[in-house]
């Protein structure tokens, strides 16, 4: 019996030494793969590219972007759940696949709260409600009144069913008691183009993709959904100022890995990410793009995402929403 215990204890010690050595060696073995669940050119791609170079410099290891678009970001998230939790496969997470889309399925493809390691939040920001410059509504309250009297014409675009742009429209429907038609697209870019072209009437999306069009005069900002006005759009009211406080929401972006990552690796990543986000030039890039750096450590980020899951899953239940098979 003593021999058996000794062998068992020795095996445990070797396993522990191996784990510690692996954590200490990270990330020297190979490049880090950063999965992005949306096509290049959108807000998630912007965040990933903004932190990519300074983070790989801080870690001393190359970070390779791997685009896996589709299914409102769930293809990428599902792939991450199958990756080894060794710190060499990460994902740029955002609200859609990590707080919304899974709850729209008959059977959830993964549990956003339990099946991931939350490393650090990168940004947090309001969404912006926009329409064409020639639309009669000058703010979102006026647009809602227009929609009530133009039910056949009123609709809202989104970057895809199950995305935050979709659920922000449903939040508007719930807050106003309306049932404005949803028109989904495969990404924000085609949704913006059809809004500009007059095929749709409203879009509620992130500033990173909308600000260039607003500044260029192609779209008019009607409201921001956050608790305070956007510094880039100081004259645009918040939804609360317009009496639409039930529409208040913010989106998040952050770095996640598979569940079960070594604590030492998670802490190192979180620390280096926080240092990157504290750099003035990185913060300036986010501000210029209409986003706001909002750094949170691993535990606080996980708690924030959990609360966001509770909010959006409740809306999905109340609105009885479900993605088509």
């Amino acid at each position: 019996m003593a021999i058996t215990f000794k062998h068992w204890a020795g095996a445990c010690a070797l396993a522990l030494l191996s784990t510690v050595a692996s954590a200490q060696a990270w990330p020297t073995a190979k490049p880090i793969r950063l999965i992005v669940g949306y096509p290049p050119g959108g807000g998630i791609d912007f965040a990933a590219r903004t932190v990519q170079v300074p983070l790989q410099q801080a870690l001393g290891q190359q970070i390779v972007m791997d685009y896996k678009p589709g299914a409102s970001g769930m293809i990428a998230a599902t792939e991450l759940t199958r990756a080894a939790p060794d710190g060499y496969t990460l994902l740029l997470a955002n609200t859609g696949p990590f707080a919304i889309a899974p709850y729209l399925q008959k059977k959830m493809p993964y549990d956003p709260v339990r099946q991931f390691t939350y490393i650090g939040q990168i940004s947090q920001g309001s969404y912006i409600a926009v329409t064409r410059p020639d639309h009669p509504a000058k703010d979102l309250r006026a647009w809602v009144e227009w929609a009530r009297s133009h039910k056949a014409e009123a609709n809202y675009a989104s970057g895809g069913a199950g995305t935050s742009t979709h659920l922000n429209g449903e939040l508007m429907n719930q807050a106003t008691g309306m049932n404005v038609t949803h028109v989904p697209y495969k990404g924000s870019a085609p949704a913006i183009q059809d809004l500009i072209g007059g095929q749709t009437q409203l879009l509620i999306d992130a500033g990173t993709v909308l600000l260039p069009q607003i500044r260029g005069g192609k779209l008019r900002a009607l409201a921001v959904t956050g608790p305070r006005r956007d510094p880039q759009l100081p004259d645009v009211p918040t939804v609360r100022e317009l009496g639409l406080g039930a529409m208040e929401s913010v989106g998040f972006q952050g770095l996640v890995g598979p569940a079960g990552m070594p604590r030492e690796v998670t802490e190192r990543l979180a620390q280096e990410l926080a240092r990157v986000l504290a750099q003035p030039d990185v913060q300036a890039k986010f501000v210029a793009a209409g986003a706001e750096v909002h750094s949170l450590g691993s535990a606080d980020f996980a708690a924030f995402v959990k609360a966001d899951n509770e909010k959006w899953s409740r809306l999905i239940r109340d609105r009885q929403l479900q993605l088509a098979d």
Side-chain angles (χ1 to χ4, degrees), residues 36-38 42-49 65 92-95 208 252-253:
V36 180
Y38 297 85
I44 308 304
D45 180 43
F46 163 80
R49 289 192 176 279
M65 307 277 277
L92 205 297
N94 67 303
T95 307
T208 47
F252 70 83
Q253 298 170 340

Side-chain angles (χ1 to χ4, degrees), residues 160-179:
T163 63
S164 57
T165 53
H166 172 200
L167 268 290
N168 271 303
E170 291 298 331
L171 196 60
M172 175 185 69
N173 278 337
Q174 184 184 63
T176 60
M178 298 194 300
N179 194 27

Side-chain angles (χ1 to χ4, degrees), residues 265-286:
V265 173
T266 301
E267 288 178 353
R268 170 87 190 282
L269 271 167
Q271 290 168 1
E272 297 298 354
L273 179 63
R275 291 189 183 103
V276 165
L277 295 176
Q279 295 176 13
D281 60 327
V282 171
Q283 294 187 358
K285 288 177 182 177
F286 275 96

Side-chain angles (χ1 to χ4, degrees), residues 61-86:
Q61 181 59 271
Q62 184 182 13
I63 297 176
V64 179
M65 307 277 277
D66 186 6
Y67 294 93
K68 298 286 182 180
S72 304
M74 289 189 295
I75 289 175
T78 301
E79 182 162 333
L80 185 65
T81 64
R82 300 170 182 150
D86 55 9

Side-chain angles (χ1 to χ4, degrees), residues 2 34 54 62 66 77 90 115 138 147 157 165 187 191 194 211 220 240 245 252 259 270 282 299 302 311 320 324:
L34 179 58
Q62 184 182 13
D66 186 6
L90 307 173
Q115 283 189 264
K138 303 302 181 185
T165 53
D194 269 13
L211 272 176
R220 174 191 293 151
R240 186 169 294 277
F252 70 83
V282 171
K311 169 186 176 173
Q320 298 182 339

Side-chain angles (χ1 to χ4, degrees), residues 3 13 27 31 35 39 41 51 80 102 104 106 116 132 136 141 172 176 187 220 224 229 244 263 280 300 308 316 323:
I3 294 175
I35 303 174
V51 302
L80 185 65
L104 290 162
K106 282 186 178 179
F116 300 94
R132 300 184 314 282
R141 168 57 71 182
M172 175 185 69
T176 60
R220 174 191 293 151
V224 295
R229 293 195 179 197
L244 298 168
R263 181 174 56 83
D300 289 339
D308 223 33
I316 289 165
L323 292 179

